[in-house]
């Protein structure tokens, strides 16, 4: 392991991105890690990556007002990058006092969830309504929606391969019927169900933006409406 490295380069970040894909990291994780390392590279402005510069960056993030959990997520990305390039340097995470209760004002209630589905249906966005129902019914991640296929709906289950592990997710019968009905209506005979008009997978950005539009039309608090909160609803 090296004690220091001259600089972070775009080429090294590109190879780091490829490595993350080989490590079966999710699409969201790969994009975030890449974005965080680029953020560090710009802040360093050509300076070397050392224990001192990394700690200075951590202090900079704190002074900029980032929440501790956000700072730690950035540090996790940089620590992973350092391990990838063989750099014997890591940053200690900020200590966060664990909450003994859940902040209910930030959680999506069942009534609010039903209002979202109803609003999406009313404006004719059947795809988004079904997509939100799928996340809330299965606890699946946005990056894993590509595994919701016509075949999976027929067999009422899907398998997700992540980090060399296989996770099997059972799909509720009523959900499967709606998925297959939607697929048939949109002439999707096989493969992914949640696709764009051009046949591509829906991106996280597209889903987020669509949910915000529905949220405003439904008159709900936008801070509570995002894909991960639907997973919280499933857990509850």
């Amino acid at each position: 392991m090296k004690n220091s490295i001259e600089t972070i380069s775009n080429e090294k970040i590109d190879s780091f991105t490829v490595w993350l894909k080989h490590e079966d990291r999710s699409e969201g994780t790969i994009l975030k890690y890449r974005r965080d390392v680029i953020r560090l590279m710009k802040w360093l402005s050509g300076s070397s990556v050392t224990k001192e510069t990394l700690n200075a960056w951590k202090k900079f993030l704190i002074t900029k007002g980032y929440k501790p959990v956000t700072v730690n997520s950035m540090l996790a990305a940089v620590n992973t990058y350092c391990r990838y390039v063989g750099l014997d340097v890591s940053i200690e995470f900020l200590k966060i006092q664990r909450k003994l209760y859940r902040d209910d004002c930030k959680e999506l209630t069942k009534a609010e969830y039903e209002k979202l589905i109803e609003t999406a249906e009313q404006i004719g966005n059947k795809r988004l309504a079904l997509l939100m129902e799928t996340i809330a019914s299965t606890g699946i991640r946005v990056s894993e929606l590509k595994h919701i296929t016509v075949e999976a709906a027929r067999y009422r289950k899907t398998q997700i391969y992540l980090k060399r592990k296989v996770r099997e997710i059972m799909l509720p019968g009523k959900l499967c019927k709606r998925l297959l009905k939607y697929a048939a209506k949109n002439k999707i005979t096989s493969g992914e169900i949640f696709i764009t008009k051009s046949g591509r997978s829906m991106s996280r950005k597209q889903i987020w933006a669509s949910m915000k539009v529905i949220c405003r039309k439904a008159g709900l608090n936008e801070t509570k409406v995002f894909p991960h909160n639907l997973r919280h609803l499933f857990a509850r």
Side-chain angles (χ1 to χ4, degrees):
M1 298 287 282
K2 298 173 286 185
N3 291 322
S4 65
I5 189 170
E6 284 302 314
T7 58
I8 300 174
S9 66
N10 288 317
E11 290 75 16
K12 287 173 182 174
I13 292 176
D14 287 340
S15 62
F16 174 55
T17 302
V18 173
W19 177 76
L20 288 172
K21 291 179 181 178
H22 289 162
E23 289 293 300
D24 293 328
R25 298 297 182 102
S26 69
E27 179 186 352
T29 297
I30 293 172
L31 291 174
K32 187 187 184 308
Y33 277 23
R34 179 183 176 87
R35 184 170 62 247
D36 290 340
V37 176
I38 290 174
R39 183 182 283 116
L40 172 62
M41 178 179 69
K42 291 180 178 179
W43 183 84
L44 287 170
S45 299
S47 297
S48 299
V49 178
T50 65
K51 188 79 172 179
E52 292 71 26
T53 55
L54 291 182
N55 280 324
W57 183 59
K58 179 169 72 172
K59 291 179 181 178
F60 167 76
L61 294 176
I62 295 171
T63 59
K64 292 295 289 183
Y66 287 104
K67 294 181 179 179
V69 66
T70 302
V71 172
N72 282 347
S73 71
M74 295 182 189
L75 301 185
V78 171
N79 282 343
T80 302
Y81 174 80
C82 288
R83 288 197 301 272
Y84 165 70
V85 296
L87 182 60
D88 190 18
V89 172
S90 63
I91 327 173
E92 291 184 6
F93 294 129
L94 297 176
K95 292 183 179 179
I96 303 174
Q97 186 174 1
R98 189 174 182 179
K99 287 186 178 180
L100 299 179
Y101 62 92
R102 183 180 292 276
D103 191 349
D104 291 335
C105 68
K106 293 183 179 179
E107 292 293 337
L108 190 68
T109 66
K110 184 178 180 181
E112 289 170 331
Y113 160 71
E114 291 174 346
K115 181 66 174 177
L116 280 175
I117 299 296
E118 180 185 349
T119 304
E121 293 276 3
Q122 286 177 347
I123 67 171
N125 196 335
K126 303 285 187 180
R127 181 181 62 185
L128 183 62
L130 189 56
L131 184 152
M132 290 190 293
E133 183 182 354
T134 300
I135 295 176
S137 300
T138 63
I140 201 168
R141 298 180 177 88
V142 171
S143 60
E144 297 169 342
L145 282 169
K146 61 185 177 183
H147 296 286
I148 302 298
T149 62
V150 173
E151 294 77 12
R154 286 172 182 160
Y155 289 104
R156 298 189 177 185
K157 64 180 179 180
T158 187
Q159 290 185 329
I160 296 175
Y161 300 86
L162 183 63
K163 298 179 182 178
R164 299 186 178 89
K165 294 181 181 179
V166 179
R167 189 167 99 255
E168 188 169 84
I169 295 178
M170 305 306 294
L171 307 179
K174 289 183 179 180
L175 174 65
C176 289
K177 289 180 181 179
R178 283 193 277 272
L179 287 169
L180 291 173
K181 183 178 180 180
Y182 171 85
K185 185 175 181 179
N186 289 275
K187 299 180 180 179
I188 303 172
T189 57
S190 64
E192 293 180 54
I193 292 177
F194 298 112
I195 54 177
T196 63
K197 291 181 179 179
S198 61
R200 296 182 179 181
S201 302
M202 291 184 69
S203 69
R204 181 187 298 267
K205 186 176 181 181
Q206 286 176 308
I207 295 170
W208 183 284
S210 297
M211 285 184 66
K212 290 299 181 184
V213 171
I214 297 298
C215 174
R216 287 191 290 270
K217 290 184 178 295
L220 301 178
N221 185 345
E222 287 190 38
T223 62
K224 298 175 67 172
V225 181
F226 51 93
H228 198 70
N229 240 8
L230 292 174
R231 296 187 68 219
H232 285 185
L233 191 65
F234 166 76
R236 299 204 307 276

